[in-house]
Amino acid sequence: MIPLAFDYARPDTLDDAIALLAEKGEDATVLAGGHSLIPVMKVRLGAPEFVIDIGRLAELDYIRVEGDEVAIGAGTKHRDLVTSEVLGAEVPLVPAVARTVGDPQVRARGTLGGSLAHGDPASDLPAAVLALDGSIVLRGPRGSRTVGIADFYTGVFSSVKEPDELVVEIRLPRKGDAGWAYEKFTRRSNDWAIVAVAVCDGKVGLVNMGSTALRATATEEALTAGKSIAEAAALADEGTEPPADTSGTPAYRRALVKVLTRRALETAAG
């Protein structure tokens, strides 16, 4: 199928983009890399009347250290996350996870902000940001606000972001030498995760174990209480609601997440 007709604009500045989004309201949607929006439009699950292209805004493309945090522009491509020396030194979990996203063509166009804003529970990077205790900076006509990633998602493909706001920046605490790991289980290397687990400094983020990216809080509490990795990993599915689809049943995912969590924690500990 092909998309329905729509109007298109490519603003020159971030302020212009926000003003246009506020003007068009709920009839508008935002295009960055396009890997979430375009497939939905092609099969007509989404039919925006107005598309605002922010994919070439240089204001949203940066990676830099600011105090105790690393600031990443929402328009930063997955490819640049993979190759960033700053991220490799300060939050190496992010390049490792970004390297597993899609294929080289996807990584060359897909953006960190787009992935987080889309909110697919099977997406890799939301769980990584969750394991890092990161935050998301939103900007709209009323100004900017910062939301912790743990409070950002409200359900499948939904978040606290208002229709006239943009994700403009992601902020991550500098982790330095903290132990980290990412375990992703797929049928093929380019597939969405059946289940995946991101670990950093004792925090555990889960992929595809509920309607949003989740923290394995029972596992984290067990580690804090001095339990062994095996004992903590056995609790990884507590509080989750894994989906049922052609890739696996909920019971299968519950068993799998415990295995992947143990592996990730052992790698991080080493």
Side-chain angles (χ1 to χ4, degrees):
M1 297 177 67
I2 59 175
L4 295 171
F6 58 90
D7 292 322
Y8 169 90
R10 195 176 73 204
D12 295 323
T13 69
L14 179 57
D15 286 341
D16 290 342
I18 291 172
L20 192 57
L21 187 60
E23 175 190 339
K24 298 300 180 180
E26 295 186 359
D27 293 332
T29 194
V30 175
L31 171 69
H35 287 291
S36 301
L37 176 63
I38 292 176
V40 170
M41 292 176 64
K42 285 180 67 177
V43 297
R44 300 190 180 183
L45 289 176
E49 296 181 11
F50 202 97
V51 173
I52 302 170
D53 186 349
I54 63 170
R56 301 186 190 184
L57 290 180
E59 296 169 81
L60 297 179
D61 188 0
Y62 57 85
I63 301 170
R64 55 184 178 238
V65 174
E66 295 184 358
D68 293 333
E69 296 181 312
V70 177
I72 308 173
T76 304
K77 306 291 192 297
H78 301 320
R79 173 192 58 199
D80 298 325
L81 301 178
V82 172
T83 59
S84 169
E85 293 182 2
V86 171
L87 296 179
E90 302 293 348
V91 278
L93 175 63
V94 172
V97 173
R99 192 174 290 112
T100 73
V101 176
D103 52 30
Q105 293 89 341
V106 169
R107 293 192 291 273
R109 291 195 59 83
T111 66
L112 176 59
S115 178
L116 296 180
H118 186 54
D120 191 327
S123 184
D124 302 275
L125 287 160
V129 176
L130 194 59
L132 291 164
D133 273 333
S135 57
I136 295 176
V137 180
L138 301 170
R139 183 170 164 187
R142 296 167 297 283
S144 299
R145 62 187 179 116
T146 301
V147 180
I149 184 70
D151 300 318
F152 184 67
Y153 295 112
T154 57
V156 180
F157 305 124
S158 61
S159 70
V160 299
K161 183 180 73 67
E162 298 293 341
D164 59 356
E165 290 182 314
L166 291 175
V167 174
V168 296
E169 186 176 79
I170 296 86
R171 302 190 69 88
L172 304 172
R174 298 169 67 182
K175 291 297 183 179
D177 296 329
W180 62 272
Y182 189 58
E183 289 286 339
K184 179 177 180 177
F185 191 83
T186 63
R187 289 183 175 178
R188 300 169 300 180
S189 60
N190 293 345
D191 283 350
W192 296 96
I194 297 174
V195 174
V197 178
V199 169
C200 186
D201 200 18
K203 303 295 191 298
V204 183
L206 306 179
V207 177
N208 220 6
M209 286 297 293
S211 61
T212 69
L214 299 172
R215 283 272 288 273
T217 54
T219 293
E220 295 174 358
E221 290 169 358
L223 291 172
T224 301
K227 300 292 185 180
S228 69
I229 286 177
E231 291 172 318
L235 305 174
D237 68 320
E238 286 196 8
T240 67
E241 295 182 0
D245 54 31
T246 57
S247 295
T249 63
Y252 175 71
R253 285 187 163 91
R254 288 184 182 278
L256 182 57
V257 77
K258 297 174 184 178
V259 174
L260 297 183
T261 300
R262 177 179 55 78
R263 291 178 183 174
L265 289 172
E266 288 172 349
T267 299

